[in-house]
Every structure is written in structure tokens, then in C-alpha cells.
Amino acid sequence: MNGHLRLEGLTLRYGPRQEPALADVDLDVVAGSSVAILGPSGSGKSTLLRLTAGLEEPTAGTVVLDGVDLSGTAAEKRGMAMVFQRPLLFPHLDVADNVAFADRVRGVSRRAARRRAREFLDLVQLPGFDRRAPRSLSGGQEQRVALARALAAEPRVLLLDEPFSALDTGLREEMYELLDELRLRLAPTVLLVTHDHREADALGDTVAVLDGGRLLQSGPMRRLYTRPVSLAVSRLLGGRNEIAGQVRDGWHHSALGALRVTTPVANGPGVLVVRQEAVQLTAPDAVDADAPGTVVRVRRRGPRALITVEVGERGPVPPARVTAELGPGPALPVGRDVGVLLPVEELAVVAADPDAAMHQATEVVESADDGQR
Ligand code: ADP
Ligand code: MG
């Protein structure tokens, strides 16, 4: 009874052409851990959660909880509770009766169920809210009530479908902290989905990247940031740097010069990816700089800034652009000559985008993720 969740080959096909909304997904969520599924809109995130919860039947594959195959087990008998992006509280019940719902269905008396509901309201930091009507609550309060209602059902697995994406920035941070506390006290297994890589990082012990119904890569977020397996993963994580070049015997060659790549990579065309947070800018003639360049664009991000540097062509090799995300410091205006330093342990090389000819890589990077919290 501890909540070890496994998805095995989970697949859902739909429509006359039997297109996959979810294709052959394997996932292991250890009891008490939190896995975040990160994927863009339409990638199959909600489908994955609905199949796990038993709200929909898979075309193939199984959901296994603590060694038991749940195929054919009704949603309400799975020991799972789900929180949606919209809280979906019962408008005609007060807050305590909303939270008490699962107990009431189990046959607990109203009095006892409401008493327990108040404990869960305390837990989500809404003491004294028991008699309030759902419509009198703010968005953040509503979502706390939805969380209390889900937890009161004492689920082995808590499923969260972008539960905080409708909240504004400060409130979202509070909810992250609340979820951390709830995990410390109740240790539920958590499977959550989000389109926001920062949210995935904040809430997941590990992250799995979903695109087009397929899992592309999973692991600790730090590893995904520094070792994305493809351009798609790099972009979904908000990576801004894609430098086309050629790989020869473990070295990547581009306008940035020859850079050593520490992971195994095939000879031939390859795109160097490096997190903007890892790029360092130096004086133009610094001995440790990898290449000299000129600042061509500056974008403010609160106390931080995105500084784009162009490194000129070298003979037949075309120029390259590298963006650094820097904290507070001396201004680096457009036109300033700088050196670009790329720490070797932060570099990865991935296969070129099959559609690369369609659009300039730098343009894609500009639009990939201008969001911020
Ligand atoms: P997400 O939650 O990541 O935005 P969804 O799981 O809601 O994605 O949807 C995955 C894809 O499946 C979408 O492209 C959606 O349009 C498609 N889809 C269309 N019809 C169905 C259906 N009957 N069942 C499941 N998915 C469907
Ligand atoms: Mg969805």
C-alpha cells in the first residue's frame, strides 16, 4: 500500500486514422517520489494522466500500482486523486463539504467528514474557510481547496494536471512551497504534468519530456539541461543556443573554433547546445576565452539580462550567435567587444534539426522561450 506506480507501453490511438495521442510510454514512479512530465500543449500530457487515473481506456499498455495491474479497475477504485488546472469545486457545497466529499461517498457521517475536512484545510493553510462558498474564493484559494479535497481521499498517487498554470507568479511560488510541505508530511507519490520547465524543475524529483505522445528523455532536470538528447528537448527546456557545425573525432568545429565534446558523438554535422546560464562573457582578449565576438542584442529580464554575441566567420565557416544569461553586473551594451567562454562540461552535441533548412536556427531560438516567472 505504498504507491509505486508503473506505466508500461501505455498507448492511446484515436479517430479513423488511429493517430496516437500517446505512444508506448514506459514510466516508473517510485513510491513517495515526484515525477514531472514536461511537454508542450497537445503533447499528450492530459491523456497520460487520464489513462493513469482510469478516466479513459488505453488502446494498449497497462497501469500497475504496487504490483497490481489496474486494467479494468474503475477510476474511483484506483487509489488515485487528480487535481486539474481548473479546480472544479461543487458550487452548491461549502468548502468543507467539498473537501469531505470522498469521505461522504465512503459512508462517513457528515459531522466526522467535516471535522476531517477542517484538518486538511489547515494543512493547505486555509483554516476557518470551512463554511465559505467556492465562488467567494480567489483562484489560489480554490486550488488549495481542490488540493485538500484530493488529499482527503488519501490517495496512493496524486495526479496533478497543470494545477498551478492559471495562477500568477507569486501565488505559484507559494503553491510550490505548499506542495513541498505536503510531500514532507504525507509522502504521496506524485505524477504531475506541465508545459513549464521551471515548474517541472521546482516540483519533480525527476522530469520526463513528452512530445508528440512520446517520451523523449527522462532524468534529473540538471542532466536534461546539460545533456539534452535532441534539439527538441533542448528547446522544450528553454535552451537558446544552437550552433551548427561539424564533429570530427570528439571536437565540434564552428565559428566558435574547435570545442571538445566529452560525450560520445558521431563524426559529421552536429549542433552544439549549451545553456545560456552556462555561457560566460570575458574581456575580448582574455586568454581563457574560446572566441572573440561583439554584443548584437541585449534583453532585460528583471535583474538578469540576455546578451547575444555574434562571433564572426572564419574563412568558409559562417558566423555564429551565442546568448548568455547574466546576473547583475556592469552593462554590456550593443557593439561591445567581448570574449565568449564555454565551459567544456556544459557542452553537448545533438543531431541537426531535420527541418533546419526551413528556418534559421537563431530565429527559432529567439521565439522558443521568452517567458519568465
Ligand atoms: P496536452 O494535455 O499535452 O495538451 P492532450 O493529452 O490533451 O495534450 O492531447 C493530446 C493530443 O491528442 C492532442 O493533439 C489532441 O488533439 C489529440 N486528440 C484528439 N482527439 C483525441 C481523443 N479522442 N482522445 C485523445 N486525444 C485526442
Ligand atoms: Mg492538457
Side-chain angles (χ1 to χ4, degrees):
M1 267 291 276
N2 52 8
H4 179 190
L5 174 69
R6 279 208 344 256
L7 311 183
E8 295 176 356
L10 211 56
T11 301
L12 181 77
R13 297 180 172 279
Y14 66 92
R17 294 177 52 201
Q18 287 293 286
E19 281 168 80
L22 203 67
D24 203 19
V25 166
D26 293 319
L27 192 70
D28 198 354
V29 189
V30 174
S33 74
S34 172
V35 170
I37 307 278
L38 171 67
S41 176
S43 59
K45 301 186 297 297
S46 294
T47 302
L48 186 151
L49 287 189
R50 285 204 310 275
L51 293 175
T52 304
L55 300 173
E56 207 162 348
E57 280 281 303
T59 315
T62 48
V63 177
V64 180
L65 183 57
D66 293 326
V68 177
D69 182 339
L70 295 182
S71 308
T73 302
E76 64 275 16
K77 299 232 158 71
R78 290 193 170 200
M80 301 187 190
M82 189 136 143
V83 177
F84 300 89
Q85 185 172 1
R86 295 256 132 244
L88 302 171
L89 301 180
F90 300 113
H92 55 289
L93 299 181
D94 73 10
V95 162
D97 281 335
N98 265 282
V99 176
F101 189 76
D103 273 353
R104 295 287 287 140
V105 170
R106 281 184 211 152
V108 176
S109 74
R110 176 145 189 257
R111 200 184 161 84
R114 284 183 68 91
R115 193 180 326 116
R116 225 171 135 262
R118 283 194 292 274
E119 288 169 22
F120 280 94
L121 287 170
D122 288 350
L123 209 55
V124 297
Q125 292 154 20
L126 291 178
F129 275 67
D130 44 329
R131 291 178 191 282
R132 296 274 293 267
R135 68 172 174 283
S136 75
L137 304 177
S138 70
Q141 290 166 345
E142 267 188 302
Q143 206 52 293
R144 280 168 200 256
V145 174
L147 206 50
R149 181 175 60 179
L151 292 168
E154 294 189 322
R156 276 186 274 173
V157 179
L158 185 61
L159 303 171
L160 306 174
D161 192 348
E162 310 208 40
F164 311 134
S165 58
L167 305 179
D168 55 34
T169 312
L171 219 43
R172 220 181 295 155
E173 288 292 337
E174 278 178 32
M175 295 302 281
Y176 296 166
E177 279 168 31
L178 175 62
L179 200 63
D180 275 348
E181 281 165 35
L182 293 173
R183 286 190 61 202
L184 282 175
R185 295 180 66 161
L186 306 175
T189 303
V190 179
L191 179 58
L192 72 107
V193 303
T194 175
H195 65 270
D196 179 351
H197 64 95
R198 301 174 201 83
E199 181 157 298
D201 195 18
L203 298 180
D205 302 327
T206 59
V207 177
V209 180
L210 186 71
D211 197 18
R214 292 179 184 279
L215 281 188
L216 303 182
Q217 187 176 5
S218 62
M221 196 62 167
R222 168 76 197 153
R223 184 161 181 82
L224 303 196
Y225 278 138
T226 52
R227 294 277 178 265
V229 296
S230 65
L231 272 188
V233 173
S234 171
R235 288 175 186 170
L236 286 169
L237 268 51
R240 291 174 174 275
N241 289 314
E242 304 177 1
I243 295 124
Q246 294 286 330
V247 176
R248 281 192 299 278
D249 303 329
W251 292 78
H252 183 269
H253 299 264
S254 72
L256 300 176
L259 293 167
R260 193 159 68 82
V261 184
T262 53
T263 51
V265 52
N267 283 344
V271 179
L272 183 81
V273 292
V274 53
R275 291 296 300 184
Q276 54 273 16
E277 299 88 351
V279 176
Q280 297 170 28
L281 300 183
T282 66
D285 51 0
V287 285
D288 51 350
D290 291 297
T294 306
V295 174
V296 292
R297 187 168 179 192
V298 177
R299 281 162 290 175
R300 307 288 337 162
R301 291 290 183 271
R304 307 182 70 77
L306 293 166
I307 313 281
T308 301
V309 174
E310 183 160 296
V311 177
E313 67 222 298
R314 296 185 171 201
V317 180
R321 285 185 171 205
V322 180
T323 295
E325 183 176 328
L326 303 180
L332 284 171
V334 170
R336 175 73 55 87
D337 289 330
V338 294
V340 177
L341 195 163
L342 303 168
V344 66
E345 66 277 11
E346 304 283 346
L347 306 181
V349 171
V350 297
D353 185 349
D355 313 326
M358 310 279 290
H359 39 90
Q360 274 251 292
T362 47
E363 297 298 322
V364 176
V365 176
E366 296 306 343
S367 61
D369 174 29
D370 268 303
Q372 55 169 333
R373 283 202 302 220

